[in-house]
Amino acid sequence: MSGRNAQHDNGRVARVIVADDQSMVREGIVLVLGLLPGIEVVGAARDGEEAVALTAELAPDVVLMDLRMPRCDGVEATRRIRSEHPDTEVVVLTTYADDDSLFPALRAGARGYLTKDAGGEEIVRAVHDVLDGRAGLAPAVQRRLLEQLMAQPQGRSPFRGGPAEAAQGGWRGPQHGESGPDGLTEREAEVLGLVADGLSNQEVARRLGISTATVKTHINNLFAKIGVRDRVQAVRYAYQHGLVAPPGETIT
């Protein structure tokens, strides 16, 4: 099963598996993606168990994952895929955008989350976003995620409070060699802030005038220091520690 063999901007065709238990929906998604550039659909799964098995067999770049499926649901399948096949990203494609669906999926390791009213181009954009190191989130999902982060009790570091204090002139990251939360260096905090703003590794590299390999090294180091395993968790950390301001506010 394959889509049109057109290439992404970086010359790479994204190899995708579609997982959905409803045959009409699954076949419709495969058909739509087959008409769009930059995607090659290499398999289709009827449930989470089959999605895990096909991932092991086909090593796709991305699995488009429904959540509510028999035998093995999408959250458990995502957790297994991200644990056993870390080079494969997961973008959730589901009818549901409630908290009970969204947050377990992100905690399981999904890098993207779309609802099924998304158009084909939006799906392709989310696939390419996660491959470029960004979160592939529908705008409504991103707003809900940020609202939830803002509503949580301030996850205070040993240094300062969360994003509300930061927006009022609180801590903006370590300056001139100071140690930041969890021992982040000034450059690591700067990289984390840019990642939280949605920049890809390549965009961070251009912004800071360093190589992409150096950006990856900084990201690996800061992930280890702050105890996160993906960008969604890193964004949450950045907001909680005032490295970026909440939407509509600025850090002074």
Side-chain angles (χ1 to χ4, degrees):
M1 213 181 293
S2 66
R4 193 170 72 196
N5 194 28
Q7 294 185 336
H8 180 33
D9 291 343
N10 61 10
R12 179 182 184 184
V13 176
R15 302 176 67 254
V16 173
I17 285 175
V18 176
D20 197 297
D21 64 319
Q22 297 182 3
S23 60
M24 291 290 289
V25 174
R26 184 176 64 250
E27 292 168 7
I29 294 169
V30 170
L31 178 62
V32 168
L33 293 180
L35 299 174
L36 296 170
I39 298 289
E40 180 185 5
V41 180
V42 297
R46 293 168 293 184
D47 55 42
E49 196 70 43
E50 192 168 302
V52 174
L54 281 177
T55 299
E57 176 186 349
L58 300 173
D61 298 306
V62 175
V63 177
L64 285 175
M65 184 76 73
D66 190 21
L67 288 183
R68 302 187 184 182
M69 296 184 290
R71 291 206 300 167
C72 173
D73 66 21
V75 171
E76 178 59 24
T78 296
R79 184 178 296 110
R80 289 170 58 184
I81 287 171
R82 294 296 298 146
S83 174
E84 299 167 17
H85 310 284
D87 290 337
T88 296
E89 303 288 358
V90 175
V91 173
V92 169
L93 184 60
T94 182
T95 304
Y96 309 97
D98 56 282
D99 290 358
D100 289 341
S101 301
L102 171 61
F103 294 106
L106 296 180
R107 284 194 294 269
R111 300 290 183 90
Y113 198 106
L114 301 173
T115 55
K116 287 181 179 176
D117 58 359
E121 292 184 359
E122 187 176 356
I123 296 173
V124 172
R125 183 165 57 250
V127 167
H128 290 159
D129 280 345
V130 299
L131 290 180
D132 287 341
R134 296 187 291 267
L137 302 175
V141 170
Q142 187 169 9
R143 284 195 300 272
R144 181 64 195 126
L145 180 59
L146 293 180
E147 287 169 2
Q148 182 71 8
L149 293 179
M150 296 304 101
Q152 288 184 0
Q154 304 250 348
R156 299 176 186 274
S157 75
F159 291 77
R160 297 285 174 96
E165 289 184 5
Q168 296 168 2
W171 183 72
R172 296 183 296 138
Q175 305 292 316
H176 305 300
E178 296 176 356
S179 178
D182 297 307
L184 290 180
T185 66
E186 181 180 351
R187 178 46 61 91
E188 287 166 351
E190 191 174 18
V191 169
L192 178 54
L194 294 174
V195 167
D197 277 338
L199 274 66
S200 68
N201 290 355
Q202 293 82 0
E203 289 167 335
V204 172
R206 287 195 295 270
R207 178 77 63 88
L208 299 180
I210 59 180
S211 70
T212 303
T214 300
V215 172
K216 290 180 179 178
T217 297
H218 285 314
I219 289 175
N220 289 337
N221 290 341
L222 70 90
F223 275 22
K225 287 181 179 181
I226 67 179
V228 303
R229 58 187 174 85
D230 59 41
R231 287 185 177 232
V232 172
Q233 293 177 344
V235 169
R236 175 177 179 171
Y237 179 98
Y239 274 94
Q240 288 179 331
H241 292 80
L243 287 167
V244 289
E249 301 182 21
T250 57
I251 296 177
T252 58

